Amino acid sequence: IVLVMAAVIVHGGAWAIPDSLAGASTEGCEKAAVAAHGALLAGKSALDAVEVAVKCLEDDPAFDAGHGSVLNAIGEIEMDAIIVDGRNLKFGAVAAVQNISNPVSLARKVMEETDHVMLVGKGANQFAVEVGIPEVNPMELVNSVAKQDWENFKKYKTVVRDHFNHPEQSPPGESGPKQATAAAPVVGTHSHETVGTVAVDLKGNFAAATSTGGITLKRVGRVGDVPLVGSGAYCENSIGGVSCTGHGESIAKVVLAKRAFSLIEFQGLSAQSALEQSLEYMWRCVGGKGGMIMISKNGDIAKSFTTARMSWASIDQKGILESGLSEPRLNLTVTGT
């Protein structure tokens, strides 16, 4: 007889988190993890728990999701989210929604109350009205820092470089470290990133969810990895659950979450090794950086990232709460092809 115990891990995004947001990022993750774990101990499902956790993060302006969302090229919000059920591979996703406080809840409605797996833009917002999810003024989801970042990035066009890259590392194929231009200020210090959660409940069922407000100054209609199953998140009871964060286009190109699952299923890797090798692969192949969290079917909790920092918090099957920001960062050694 295997005794199943509840566990949860959350992340608040992998990016160059500044010291000014360090405390809020870790504390926000801890709060979300505690809320989700409490739901699990009360007998709630893994789906309920990941929704609870991501809603906590969406409601926290320290994170780029819900109330911390950033602005696209024309100064508007477009949010994406996904939720995945490990019991049956069902998932629901939304993309480019604009006036919903908690896109993860709308994504769950898509999964449970439609025959579809994803709704986008106007259709997603129309569906939200049909199922009774309240609308909010999109500008209520934007804070003054997001507005300032939009102005800065619009002027200097350095979003991806400043958001994800380490100054001492260059993508494969480039020689030498990438330096900021002398004329450009240090911008994007509050640009946040994707949030996500993985949980296993008392019945041994897994769920995963990811939510984002996108990248500052993105093109209107741009959708990254988050709502794409196998990229932003993936979950199977027989293996576990994963949520990803980082440069969305890079994650989508390598189907990052599913790649980690394949390494476990077909090569027998541990959860930790699978995450590390998947991130190394993404860097080597497409020059992308990011982070991943996972709970495996045997209860192992894993996390890895290749950006400067990733905020995370977990509560394991013994009820022990842990959190971090700068460790365990995976140091990349690939600097050329």
Side-chain angles (χ1 to χ4, degrees):
I1 298 175
V2 178
L3 180 62
V4 177
M5 302 294 288
V8 62
I9 183 169
V10 308
H11 71 74
W15 62 289
I17 302 171
D19 291 341
S20 60
L21 274 181
S25 295
T26 52
E27 290 168 10
C29 287
E30 289 172 354
K31 179 181 176 180
V34 169
H37 193 253
L40 292 170
L41 294 184
K44 297 292 186 179
S45 69
L47 277 172
D48 293 330
V50 296
E51 183 181 7
V52 164
V54 171
K55 286 177 69 174
C56 283
L57 298 169
E58 290 174 336
D59 291 341
D60 189 332
F63 304 104
D64 176 17
H67 287 84
S69 295
V70 297
L71 299 171
N72 66 13
I74 61 172
E76 295 181 349
I77 284 177
E78 292 179 310
M79 300 171 290
D80 310 327
I82 188 171
I83 190 167
V84 190
D85 188 341
R87 296 173 299 177
N88 48 27
L89 301 185
K90 286 187 176 181
F91 78 96
V94 293
V97 295
Q98 294 191 304
N99 57 357
I100 302 298
S101 295
N102 299 114
V104 69
S105 296
L106 183 57
R108 185 171 181 180
K109 291 288 188 180
V110 172
M111 179 180 70
E112 295 180 338
E113 299 187 23
T114 78
D115 295 326
H116 309 306
V117 295
M118 185 188 300
L119 295 176
V120 305
K122 183 185 297 185
N125 282 110
Q126 182 178 19
F127 175 67
V129 174
E130 293 174 10
V131 295
I133 293 180
E135 296 181 346
V136 299
N137 184 330
M139 288 301 101
E140 293 180 14
L141 306 177
V142 182
N143 57 38
S144 60
V145 176
K147 294 177 183 177
Q148 185 60 53
D149 277 346
W150 183 76
E151 293 290 347
N152 288 337
F153 282 135
K154 188 175 182 180
K155 183 176 182 180
Y156 293 100
K157 302 184 187 302
T158 58
V159 180
V160 173
R161 184 195 70 199
D162 291 345
H163 200 163
F164 300 107
N165 288 338
H166 300 306
E168 73 274 13
Q169 294 174 329
S170 299
E174 295 185 13
S175 59
K178 184 177 287 294
Q179 300 291 339
T181 61
V186 178
V187 295
T189 53
H190 295 78
S191 291
H192 334 322
E193 233 292 299
T194 302
V195 303
T197 310
V198 178
V200 57
D201 61 30
L202 296 174
K203 296 181 179 180
N205 295 316
F206 284 82
T210 309
S211 180
T212 187
I215 298 177
T216 300
L217 209 63
K218 69 177 185 176
R219 281 184 176 272
V220 176
R222 174 265 187 187
V223 175
D225 66 294
V226 167
L228 307 180
V229 70
S231 293
Y234 196 68
C235 200
E236 290 185 42
N237 276 2
S238 60
I239 297 176
V242 170
S243 173
C244 298
T245 172
H247 184 232
E249 282 74 10
S250 297
I251 292 172
K253 287 174 184 177
V254 300
V255 198
L256 188 62
K258 189 62 170 69
R259 182 170 185 82
F261 270 68
S262 296
L263 291 173
I264 294 170
E265 183 175 8
F266 299 115
Q267 297 187 24
L269 269 60
S270 67
Q272 187 64 41
S273 294
L275 299 194
E276 292 174 359
Q277 289 195 24
S278 296
L279 288 168
E280 288 173 342
Y281 176 85
M282 182 170 71
W283 172 253
R284 185 173 67 251
C285 292
V286 298
K289 295 178 183 176
M292 307 173 72
I293 58 172
M294 181 174 193
I295 303 178
S296 70
K297 67 176 182 179
N298 59 7
D300 289 338
I301 293 178
K303 59 271 180 186
S304 187
F305 54 96
T306 52
T307 52
R309 287 173 165 176
M310 181 180 77
S311 56
W312 60 271
S314 65
I315 300 178
D316 65 15
Q317 293 183 329
K318 296 180 180 179
I320 298 173
L321 170 66
E322 294 183 309
S323 62
L325 187 72
S326 300
E327 299 293 341
R329 176 185 153 199
L330 177 63
N331 291 306
L332 298 170
T333 58
V334 178
T335 58
T337 55

